[in-house]
């Protein structure tokens, strides 16, 4: 079946009064149409053959008067018999045609169900491939379709998709490895530059004011690049999804630690903490370092991109039983944002508004790191612009029962303090 067939199938569906739908509907319409065409043609052939008959005209033999009279009587009898036979033939033909038409109608109805079933069986491998492909994301490129069966077109398509996934996995791994290696390698010259700057400023004798100002500016830029490289490292590590420090963690304690650790920054900007509400049953399983980074980044984002004299709200809550979810919600005041562009904040180096680009704070990786770490922990990140200005960040993780583990340890080894 060629790729031009779907257009013809769509035309058949339109002529049959069917709306444009799935391929299964179009295939069913094709099967029913072909059955009706072949059945109608067969019925027409039966009608032609049945109506033809074998009617031969007979003439009376040439003979004497007695023979002619006898032949005339015989001919009358023959004509009467032929008329009766023709009537019987016509009646039988009509019965055959009516019965065939009824059978064709019944089979047409049955063919709809048979066509739907056959189309489903034919398209089942494609549905399996579609479902498997949808499950595969950037974090699970190691999975494959692995469709079995004979080496037909469907198997070739599945193998082609598996090869494509393999190339994508190799490309993603190479990209992450490059980012990690480059970040590590660039830290060495940065350390050397910072040490050289400190040595130059520590030389005996007065340091010119311009030189001191330039040194302060260079040190600030070096610190900014260092934070950028650290962000790259965390981003690459979270995308790999390999954690060596996994434990049961209290999400509420992580949030409170991030909030109290930035009390000076909050006071310096004149911000008010409206709410700091946590749920003691909000436990998660994951990397202590990365999840602490999530809490730090969302609180930093709320402080940095806030209005002077604004407010911050931090809440942690648990939903459902032990198989439910826990969420960290951080709200902040600030400029009015466009909701259609807020999702871009989870992309690297994406910022909205002039005040989010001109402050000079941050590297533009904060929320993108949060998004990557959240995905690696099978969580979700939701960014919402508040109607009165500012941003609402909601991070949801699968819930786990870590209280028993933490109490059994006695020293809180499973809790980030």
């Amino acid at each position: 079946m060629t790729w031009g067939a779907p257009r013809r199938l769509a035309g058949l569906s339109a002529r049959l009064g069917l709306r444009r739908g799935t391929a299964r509907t179009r295939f069913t319409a094709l099967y029913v149409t072909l059955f009706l065409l072949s059945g109608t043609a067969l019925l027409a052939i039966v009608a032609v053959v049945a109506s033809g008959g074998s009617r031969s005209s007979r003439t009376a033999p040439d003979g004497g008067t007695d023979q002619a009279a006898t032949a005339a009587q015989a001919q009358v009898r023959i004509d009467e018999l032929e008329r009766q036979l023709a009537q019987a033939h016509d009646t039988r033909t009509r019965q055959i045609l009516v019965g065939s038409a009824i059978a064709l109608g019944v089979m047409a109805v049955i063919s709809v169900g048979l066509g739907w079933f056959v189309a489903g069986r034919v398209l089942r491998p494609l549905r399996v491939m579609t479902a498997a492909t949808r499950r595969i994301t950037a974090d699970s490129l190691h999975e494959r379709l692995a469709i079995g069966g004979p080496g037909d077109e469907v198997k070739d398509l599945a193998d082609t998709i598996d090869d494509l996934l393999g190339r994508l996995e190799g490309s993603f791994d190479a990209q992450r490895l490059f980012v990690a290696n480059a970040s590590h390698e660039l830290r060495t010259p940065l350390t050397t530059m910072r040490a050289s700057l400190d040595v130059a400023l520590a030389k005996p004798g007065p340091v010119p004011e311009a030189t001191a100002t330039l040194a302060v500016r260079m040190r600030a830029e070096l610190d900014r690049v260092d934070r950028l490289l650290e962000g790259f490292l965390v981003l690459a590590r979270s995308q790999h999804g390999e954690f060596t420090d996994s434990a049961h963690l209290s999400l509420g304690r992580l949030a409170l630690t991030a909030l109290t650790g930035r009390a000076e920054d909050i006071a310096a900007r004149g911000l008010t903490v409206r709410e700091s509400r946590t749920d003691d049953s909000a436990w998660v399983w994951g990397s202590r370092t990365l999840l602490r980074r999530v809490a730090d980044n969302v609180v930093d984002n709320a402080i940095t991109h806030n209005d002077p004299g604004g407010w911050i709200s931090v809440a942690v809550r648990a939903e459902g039983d032990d198989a439910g979810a826990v969420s960290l919600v951080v709200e902040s005041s600030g400029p009015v944002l466009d909701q259609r562009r807020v999702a871009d904040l989870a992309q690297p180096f994406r910022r909205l508004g002039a005040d989010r680009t001109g402050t000079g704070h941050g590297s533009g990786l904060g929320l993108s790191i949060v998004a990557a770490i959240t995905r690696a922990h099978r969580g979700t990140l939701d960014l919402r612009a508040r109607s009165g200005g500012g941003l609402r960040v909601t991070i949801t993780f699968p819930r786990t029962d870590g209280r028993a583990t933490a109490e059994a340890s006695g020293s809180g080894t499973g809790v980030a303090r």
Side-chain angles (χ1 to χ4, degrees):
M1 188 175 184
T2 63
W3 288 107
R7 293 184 178 180
R8 295 193 293 271
L9 294 178
L12 290 172
S13 300
R15 286 193 291 270
L16 290 173
L18 297 175
R19 296 181 60 185
R20 184 180 180 183
T22 62
R24 189 175 187 179
T25 302
R26 294 194 294 270
F27 274 118
T28 303
L30 175 63
Y31 296 152
V32 174
T33 301
L34 293 178
F35 174 80
L36 289 176
L37 291 177
S38 59
T40 303
L42 179 62
L43 187 59
I45 294 174
V46 171
V48 171
V49 173
S51 62
S54 57
R55 296 181 179 178
S56 58
S57 59
R58 295 179 176 83
T59 57
D62 187 12
T65 303
D66 294 338
Q67 293 179 349
T70 303
Q73 293 176 356
Q75 185 63 40
V76 171
R77 182 61 178 169
I78 291 174
D79 291 340
E80 181 66 22
L81 292 175
E82 286 183 349
R83 186 166 50 255
Q84 294 177 0
L85 181 61
Q87 291 177 354
H89 183 272
D90 292 339
T91 302
R92 185 61 181 270
T93 301
R94 284 194 300 271
Q95 291 176 350
I96 293 176
L97 292 178
V98 171
S100 300
I102 294 175
L104 179 62
V106 173
M107 289 305 300
V109 176
I110 297 176
S111 67
V112 174
L114 292 176
W116 184 262
F117 174 76
V118 172
R121 293 296 298 269
V122 171
L123 296 175
R124 178 181 297 176
L126 295 181
R127 293 198 301 271
V128 173
M129 291 169 55
T130 301
T133 305
R134 286 176 177 172
R135 289 195 302 268
I136 298 175
T137 63
D139 299 322
S140 58
L141 288 175
H142 62 280
E143 298 183 10
R144 296 293 182 268
L145 301 180
I147 300 297
D152 53 8
E153 291 82 355
V154 176
K155 183 68 165 56
D156 292 340
L157 177 60
D159 292 341
T160 302
I161 295 178
D162 285 341
D163 293 339
L164 176 61
L165 291 174
R167 293 193 297 270
L168 287 176
E169 182 183 12
S171 177
F172 272 67
D173 290 341
Q175 179 186 13
R176 293 166 182 168
L177 183 62
F178 170 78
V179 171
N181 291 337
S183 300
H184 277 295
E185 294 297 329
L186 288 175
R187 280 195 162 187
T188 300
L190 284 177
T191 304
T192 303
M193 293 171 63
R194 185 180 287 106
S196 300
L197 185 62
D198 293 338
V199 170
L201 292 177
K203 287 184 177 181
V207 179
E209 183 180 352
T211 302
T213 303
L214 179 61
V216 172
R217 181 177 299 178
M218 290 183 62
R219 183 178 282 107
E221 292 299 324
L222 289 174
D223 292 340
R224 182 177 180 181
V225 174
D226 191 51
R227 289 194 299 270
L228 179 63
L229 293 179
E230 182 183 0
F232 280 141
L233 285 172
V234 175
L235 189 61
R237 181 184 175 188
S238 62
Q239 289 176 340
H240 275 295
E242 299 176 356
F243 312 133
T244 58
D245 58 344
S246 295
H248 291 283
L249 304 171
S250 172
L251 190 60
R253 295 186 185 181
L254 292 177
L256 288 179
T257 301
L259 192 62
T260 56
R262 286 152 181 80
E264 294 183 0
D265 296 335
I266 294 174
R269 294 183 59 86
L271 302 177
T272 302
V273 179
R274 280 190 177 181
E275 182 182 18
S276 178
R277 178 166 46 88
T278 61
D279 191 335
D280 293 337
S281 62
W283 290 77
V284 296
W285 173 267
S287 168
R288 179 185 294 106
T289 303
L290 296 181
L291 291 178
R292 180 187 294 138
R293 186 62 178 266
V294 167
D296 291 344
N297 281 14
V298 292
V299 173
D300 284 337
N301 183 80
I303 296 173
T304 303
H305 303 295
N306 210 322
D307 292 333
W311 56 270
I312 299 175
S313 172
V314 178
V316 176
R317 59 175 178 265
E319 301 174 357
D321 52 11
D322 293 339
V326 297
S327 59
L328 168 62
V329 182
V330 178
E331 291 188 79
S332 60
S333 59
V336 178
L337 303 176
D338 186 357
Q339 178 60 41
R340 293 173 297 180
R341 299 181 57 196
V342 162
D344 292 340
L345 294 176
Q347 302 296 325
F349 307 110
R350 297 290 180 89
R351 297 163 176 163
L352 305 179
D355 64 325
R356 299 184 72 89
T357 58
T359 59
H361 299 288
S363 59
L365 292 174
L367 290 180
S368 62
I369 291 175
V370 171
I373 296 175
T374 302
R375 286 195 301 268
H377 288 79
R378 297 181 292 113
T380 59
L381 171 65
D382 182 60
L383 302 176
R384 296 289 175 182
R386 300 184 68 258
S387 59
L391 188 67
R392 175 187 174 95
V393 181
T394 303
I395 304 171
T396 304
F397 294 109
R399 183 182 177 185
T400 183
D401 186 10
R403 182 182 297 275
T405 303
E407 292 177 352
S409 65
S411 60
T413 55
V415 178
R417 299 184 183 276

